[in-house]
Amino acid sequence: MDSGSVVIVGGTSGIGRELAAEYARRGRSVVVTGRDPDRTAAIACEIGGATTGLGIDLAEPDAIAGAFASVGPVSELVIAAIERDVNHIASYDLQRARRLVTLKLVGYPEVVHTLSDRFTAATSIVLFGGLAKERPYDGSTTVSTVNGGVSGLVRTLACELAPVRVNAIHPGIIGDSPYWVDKPLGAFVERTPIGRLVTMREIVGATIFLLECGGMNGADLFVDGGWLLR
Ligand SMILES: NC(=O)c1ccc[n+]([C@@H]2O[C@H](COP(=O)([O-])OP(=O)(O)OC[C@H]3O[C@@H](n4cnc5c(N)ncnc54)[C@H](OP(=O)(O)O)[C@@H]3O)[C@@H](O)[C@H]2O)c1
């Protein structure tokens, strides 16, 4: 399982960074990516252990293959990158929408394509969607769209790459994540049966479960504290 690196695309912030820190603590060789090479290298240093950083912009997919040239065998691949687009049909911002659609629906598969010659039969992949695909929030038009696309993507990848396992995780709103932590979240909490929002630690745990449980494949795992139930 651990003959290669853990590669975390979008590993400089939020869930990706927490996951990188967890695998670094476990003594694994970790590669994190963010858009800016210098900032990403600095964050890799802060994460510590055997962590290195690469600068890759998934919204510019022609450059993805070259950016991964230095990466060797990959045991676990997690793609968590997002460049959020707060968008509405009434004021549709094409440029923002185009970047996010390209990032998730072209950038994610291009990363998998690029690294596929570095996979073994035991490699496993987790792609990040999100429950805005099921329950939109104000401004989530592009986010809801691309996170729906991630569900289709895992199904085709799990078939094409077999026996490599490919799963998706779809968190509800993660209350302590950098994007949401300072926003008013009371209405979301009220609808969540556990009486609070899910946490970054819980999403890291669920991601590790998908990566490491050999029976999980082609799944869309919802982790939301029951938020969709009411
Ligand atoms: N937070 C939540 O509540 C929540 C809920 C449901 C689903 N999700 C999903 O979970 C994943 C992680 O979310 P998060 O909130 O933890 O993320 P985050 O803190 O906003 O971090 C986003 C990551 O993506 C990278 N990134 C941004 N633009 C990029 C681009 N154009 N190309 C490549 N990388 C780029 C960022 O790196 P740099 O800034 O260093 O470039 C950073 O590492 C996302 O896919 C999101 O859709 C999150």
Side-chain angles (χ1 to χ4, degrees):
M1 172 77 107
D2 60 356
S3 56
S5 301
V6 180
V7 176
I8 304 177
V9 175
T12 57
S13 171
I15 302 301
R17 182 175 175 153
E18 288 287 309
L19 188 65
E22 177 60 32
Y23 274 113
R25 268 194 294 278
R26 295 179 180 199
R28 296 293 305 280
S29 169
V30 179
V31 178
V32 292
T33 83
R35 283 164 293 188
D36 180 79
D38 294 337
R39 182 171 173 272
T40 306
I43 290 170
C45 238
E46 286 170 23
I47 291 169
T51 306
T52 53
L54 291 175
I56 302 176
D57 185 345
L58 263 54
E60 304 288 342
D62 291 327
I64 289 174
F68 278 113
S70 62
V71 173
V74 176
S75 301
E76 289 91 2
L77 170 63
V78 175
I79 313 184
I82 186 163
E83 188 175 308
R84 283 186 181 79
D85 161 32
V86 179
N87 221 329
H88 300 89
I89 289 300
S91 54
Y92 198 53
D93 181 336
L94 264 183
Q95 168 64 10
R96 298 287 306 164
R98 190 181 285 124
R99 278 191 66 82
L100 179 53
V101 169
T102 304
L103 183 158
K104 280 220 181 188
L105 301 188
V106 181
Y108 277 30
E110 173 61 4
V111 169
V112 176
H113 160 75
T114 295
L115 293 177
S116 59
D117 61 359
R118 286 153 256 188
F119 296 164
T120 68
T123 297
S124 67
I125 300 172
V126 171
L127 306 183
F128 269 78
L131 287 180
K133 85 187 184 81
E134 302 291 322
R135 179 177 283 161
Y137 55 83
D138 183 47
S140 76
T141 290
T142 321
V143 174
S144 294
T145 303
V146 295
N147 286 342
V150 167
S151 292
L153 191 53
V154 290
R155 284 166 175 70
T156 189
L157 291 179
C159 292
E160 280 205 51
L161 297 174
V164 168
R165 294 182 300 104
V166 188
N167 292 291
I169 184 162
H170 298 276
I173 286 170
I174 305 162
D176 61 348
S177 62
Y179 181 76
W180 289 106
V181 73
D182 293 326
K183 297 188 170 64
L185 296 172
F188 297 108
V189 173
E190 213 161 287
R191 288 187 83 158
T192 308
I194 60 173
R196 60 171 179 81
L197 299 177
V198 292
T199 65
M200 293 215 285
R201 284 310 304 163
E202 288 164 343
I203 302 304
V204 165
T207 306
I208 291 172
F209 161 68
L210 290 174
L211 287 170
E212 297 186 358
C213 175
M216 293 303 295
N217 194 24
D220 268 327
L221 183 65
F222 291 9
V223 185
D224 68 347
W227 180 52
L228 286 185
L229 295 174
R230 61 190 192 197

PDB file of all heavy atoms in Angstrom, residues 125-141:
ATOM      1  N   ILE A 125      -7.689   6.188  -5.097  1.00  0.00           N
ATOM      2  CA  ILE A 125      -7.919   7.598  -5.444  1.00  0.00           C
ATOM      3  C   ILE A 125      -9.198   8.067  -4.751  1.00  0.00           C
ATOM      4  O   ILE A 125     -10.194   7.338  -4.730  1.00  0.00           O
ATOM      5  CB  ILE A 125      -8.094   7.743  -6.975  1.00  0.00           C
ATOM      6  CG1 ILE A 125      -6.832   7.242  -7.701  1.00  0.00           C
ATOM      7  CG2 ILE A 125      -8.417   9.187  -7.365  1.00  0.00           C
ATOM      8  CD1 ILE A 125      -6.995   7.160  -9.221  1.00  0.00           C
ATOM      9  N   VAL A 126      -9.160   9.274  -4.203  1.00  0.00           N
ATOM     10  CA  VAL A 126     -10.388   9.921  -3.705  1.00  0.00           C
ATOM     11  C   VAL A 126     -10.514  11.292  -4.355  1.00  0.00           C
ATOM     12  O   VAL A 126      -9.574  12.096  -4.326  1.00  0.00           O
ATOM     13  CB  VAL A 126     -10.396  10.053  -2.165  1.00  0.00           C
ATOM     14  CG1 VAL A 126     -11.563  10.931  -1.705  1.00  0.00           C
ATOM     15  CG2 VAL A 126     -10.496   8.677  -1.514  1.00  0.00           C
ATOM     16  N   LEU A 127     -11.667  11.536  -4.934  1.00  0.00           N
ATOM     17  CA  LEU A 127     -11.987  12.843  -5.522  1.00  0.00           C
ATOM     18  C   LEU A 127     -12.984  13.554  -4.611  1.00  0.00           C
ATOM     19  O   LEU A 127     -13.923  12.930  -4.098  1.00  0.00           O
ATOM     20  CB  LEU A 127     -12.625  12.676  -6.903  1.00  0.00           C
ATOM     21  CG  LEU A 127     -11.868  11.844  -7.938  1.00  0.00           C
ATOM     22  CD1 LEU A 127     -12.626  11.853  -9.272  1.00  0.00           C
ATOM     23  CD2 LEU A 127     -10.451  12.345  -8.128  1.00  0.00           C
ATOM     24  N   PHE A 128     -12.807  14.849  -4.449  1.00  0.00           N
ATOM     25  CA  PHE A 128     -13.729  15.634  -3.621  1.00  0.00           C
ATOM     26  C   PHE A 128     -14.834  16.256  -4.457  1.00  0.00           C
ATOM     27  O   PHE A 128     -14.588  17.026  -5.371  1.00  0.00           O
ATOM     28  CB  PHE A 128     -12.973  16.729  -2.856  1.00  0.00           C
ATOM     29  CG  PHE A 128     -12.523  16.266  -1.502  1.00  0.00           C
ATOM     30  CD1 PHE A 128     -11.411  15.451  -1.374  1.00  0.00           C
ATOM     31  CD2 PHE A 128     -13.232  16.610  -0.364  1.00  0.00           C
ATOM     32  CE1 PHE A 128     -11.013  14.989  -0.118  1.00  0.00           C
ATOM     33  CE2 PHE A 128     -12.843  16.159   0.890  1.00  0.00           C
ATOM     34  CZ  PHE A 128     -11.739  15.346   1.016  1.00  0.00           C
ATOM     35  N   GLY A 129     -16.074  15.883  -4.113  1.00  0.00           N
ATOM     36  CA  GLY A 129     -17.251  16.592  -4.588  1.00  0.00           C
ATOM     37  C   GLY A 129     -17.758  17.426  -3.420  1.00  0.00           C
ATOM     38  O   GLY A 129     -16.978  18.046  -2.691  1.00  0.00           O
ATOM     39  N   GLY A 130     -19.067  17.397  -3.184  1.00  0.00           N
ATOM     40  CA  GLY A 130     -19.635  18.134  -2.059  1.00  0.00           C
ATOM     41  C   GLY A 130     -21.147  18.119  -2.187  1.00  0.00           C
ATOM     42  O   GLY A 130     -21.693  17.948  -3.285  1.00  0.00           O
ATOM     43  N   LEU A 131     -21.842  18.288  -1.050  1.00  0.00           N
ATOM     44  CA  LEU A 131     -23.298  18.109  -1.059  1.00  0.00           C
ATOM     45  C   LEU A 131     -24.070  19.307  -1.586  1.00  0.00           C
ATOM     46  O   LEU A 131     -25.309  19.251  -1.652  1.00  0.00           O
ATOM     47  CB  LEU A 131     -23.784  17.669   0.316  1.00  0.00           C
ATOM     48  CG  LEU A 131     -23.395  16.209   0.599  1.00  0.00           C
ATOM     49  CD1 LEU A 131     -23.873  15.783   1.976  1.00  0.00           C
ATOM     50  CD2 LEU A 131     -23.930  15.269  -0.477  1.00  0.00           C
ATOM     51  N   ALA A 132     -23.358  20.346  -2.038  1.00  0.00           N
ATOM     52  CA  ALA A 132     -24.057  21.389  -2.803  1.00  0.00           C
ATOM     53  C   ALA A 132     -24.661  20.783  -4.063  1.00  0.00           C
ATOM     54  O   ALA A 132     -25.569  21.352  -4.660  1.00  0.00           O
ATOM     55  CB  ALA A 132     -23.105  22.518  -3.165  1.00  0.00           C
ATOM     56  N   LYS A 133     -24.171  19.591  -4.449  1.00  0.00           N
ATOM     57  CA  LYS A 133     -24.755  18.919  -5.621  1.00  0.00           C
ATOM     58  C   LYS A 133     -26.181  18.456  -5.324  1.00  0.00           C
ATOM     59  O   LYS A 133     -26.991  18.321  -6.234  1.00  0.00           O
ATOM     60  CB  LYS A 133     -23.877  17.742  -6.077  1.00  0.00           C
ATOM     61  CG  LYS A 133     -24.102  16.429  -5.368  1.00  0.00           C
ATOM     62  CD  LYS A 133     -23.068  15.385  -5.790  1.00  0.00           C
ATOM     63  CE  LYS A 133     -23.334  14.027  -5.155  1.00  0.00           C
ATOM     64  NZ  LYS A 133     -24.362  13.268  -5.844  1.00  0.00           N
ATOM     65  N   GLU A 134     -26.484  18.163  -4.052  1.00  0.00           N
ATOM     66  CA  GLU A 134     -27.819  17.701  -3.671  1.00  0.00           C
ATOM     67  C   GLU A 134     -28.674  18.851  -3.153  1.00  0.00           C
ATOM     68  O   GLU A 134     -29.882  18.882  -3.375  1.00  0.00           O
ATOM     69  CB  GLU A 134     -27.718  16.643  -2.551  1.00  0.00           C
ATOM     70  CG  GLU A 134     -26.888  15.441  -2.916  1.00  0.00           C
ATOM     71  CD  GLU A 134     -27.555  14.580  -3.975  1.00  0.00           C
ATOM     72  OE1 GLU A 134     -28.792  14.430  -3.942  1.00  0.00           O
ATOM     73  OE2 GLU A 134     -26.826  14.073  -4.851  1.00  0.00           O
ATOM     74  N   ARG A 135     -28.039  19.727  -2.373  1.00  0.00           N
ATOM     75  CA  ARG A 135     -28.781  20.830  -1.747  1.00  0.00           C
ATOM     76  C   ARG A 135     -27.998  22.119  -1.980  1.00  0.00           C
ATOM     77  O   ARG A 135     -27.025  22.397  -1.286  1.00  0.00           O
ATOM     78  CB  ARG A 135     -28.964  20.566  -0.253  1.00  0.00           C
ATOM     79  CG  ARG A 135     -29.705  21.709   0.443  1.00  0.00           C
ATOM     80  CD  ARG A 135     -29.946  21.392   1.907  1.00  0.00           C
ATOM     81  NE  ARG A 135     -31.046  20.455   2.074  1.00  0.00           N
ATOM     82  CZ  ARG A 135     -31.260  19.733   3.173  1.00  0.00           C
ATOM     83  NH1 ARG A 135     -30.428  19.827   4.183  1.00  0.00           N
ATOM     84  NH2 ARG A 135     -32.285  18.930   3.249  1.00  0.00           N
ATOM     85  N   PRO A 136     -28.403  22.901  -2.982  1.00  0.00           N
ATOM     86  CA  PRO A 136     -27.659  24.120  -3.292  1.00  0.00           C
ATOM     87  C   PRO A 136     -27.769  25.156  -2.180  1.00  0.00           C
ATOM     88  O   PRO A 136     -28.697  25.124  -1.381  1.00  0.00           O
ATOM     89  CB  PRO A 136     -28.342  24.624  -4.566  1.00  0.00           C
ATOM     90  CG  PRO A 136     -29.664  23.949  -4.621  1.00  0.00           C
ATOM     91  CD  PRO A 136     -29.566  22.674  -3.841  1.00  0.00           C
ATOM     92  N   TYR A 137     -26.778  26.035  -2.106  1.00  0.00           N
ATOM     93  CA  TYR A 137     -26.860  27.206  -1.239  1.00  0.00           C
ATOM     94  C   TYR A 137     -26.721  28.437  -2.123  1.00  0.00           C
ATOM     95  O   TYR A 137     -26.360  28.322  -3.314  1.00  0.00           O
ATOM     96  CB  TYR A 137     -25.792  27.161  -0.126  1.00  0.00           C
ATOM     97  CG  TYR A 137     -24.373  27.008  -0.618  1.00  0.00           C
ATOM     98  CD1 TYR A 137     -23.622  28.095  -1.056  1.00  0.00           C
ATOM     99  CD2 TYR A 137     -23.774  25.740  -0.668  1.00  0.00           C
ATOM    100  CE1 TYR A 137     -22.326  27.945  -1.519  1.00  0.00           C
ATOM    101  CE2 TYR A 137     -22.474  25.588  -1.133  1.00  0.00           C
ATOM    102  CZ  TYR A 137     -21.759  26.690  -1.565  1.00  0.00           C
ATOM    103  OH  TYR A 137     -20.481  26.539  -2.039  1.00  0.00           O
ATOM    104  N   ASP A 138     -26.983  29.613  -1.576  1.00  0.00           N
ATOM    105  CA  ASP A 138     -26.964  30.829  -2.382  1.00  0.00           C
ATOM    106  C   ASP A 138     -25.595  30.998  -3.059  1.00  0.00           C
ATOM    107  O   ASP A 138     -24.567  30.997  -2.380  1.00  0.00           O
ATOM    108  CB  ASP A 138     -27.263  32.040  -1.485  1.00  0.00           C
ATOM    109  CG  ASP A 138     -27.320  33.317  -2.296  1.00  0.00           C
ATOM    110  OD1 ASP A 138     -27.994  33.315  -3.354  1.00  0.00           O
ATOM    111  OD2 ASP A 138     -26.666  34.298  -1.903  1.00  0.00           O
ATOM    112  N   GLY A 139     -25.586  31.089  -4.373  1.00  0.00           N
ATOM    113  CA  GLY A 139     -24.332  31.294  -5.103  1.00  0.00           C
ATOM    114  C   GLY A 139     -23.623  30.019  -5.505  1.00  0.00           C
ATOM    115  O   GLY A 139     -22.531  30.063  -6.070  1.00  0.00           O
ATOM    116  N   SER A 140     -24.247  28.855  -5.232  1.00  0.00           N
ATOM    117  CA  SER A 140     -23.533  27.586  -5.475  1.00  0.00           C
ATOM    118  C   SER A 140     -23.730  27.038  -6.886  1.00  0.00           C
ATOM    119  O   SER A 140     -23.355  25.885  -7.142  1.00  0.00           O
ATOM    120  CB  SER A 140     -23.971  26.523  -4.458  1.00  0.00           C
ATOM    121  OG  SER A 140     -25.256  26.003  -4.792  1.00  0.00           O
ATOM    122  N   THR A 141     -24.276  27.830  -7.803  1.00  0.00           N
ATOM    123  CA  THR A 141     -24.639  27.270  -9.113  1.00  0.00           C
ATOM    124  C   THR A 141     -23.507  26.470  -9.761  1.00  0.00           C
ATOM    125  O   THR A 141     -23.700  25.315 -10.144  1.00  0.00           O
ATOM    126  CB  THR A 141     -25.116  28.399 -10.056  1.00  0.00           C
ATOM    127  OG1 THR A 141     -26.381  28.828  -9.549  1.00  0.00           O
ATOM    128  CG2 THR A 141     -25.311  27.918 -11.472  1.00  0.00           C
TER     129      THR A 141
END
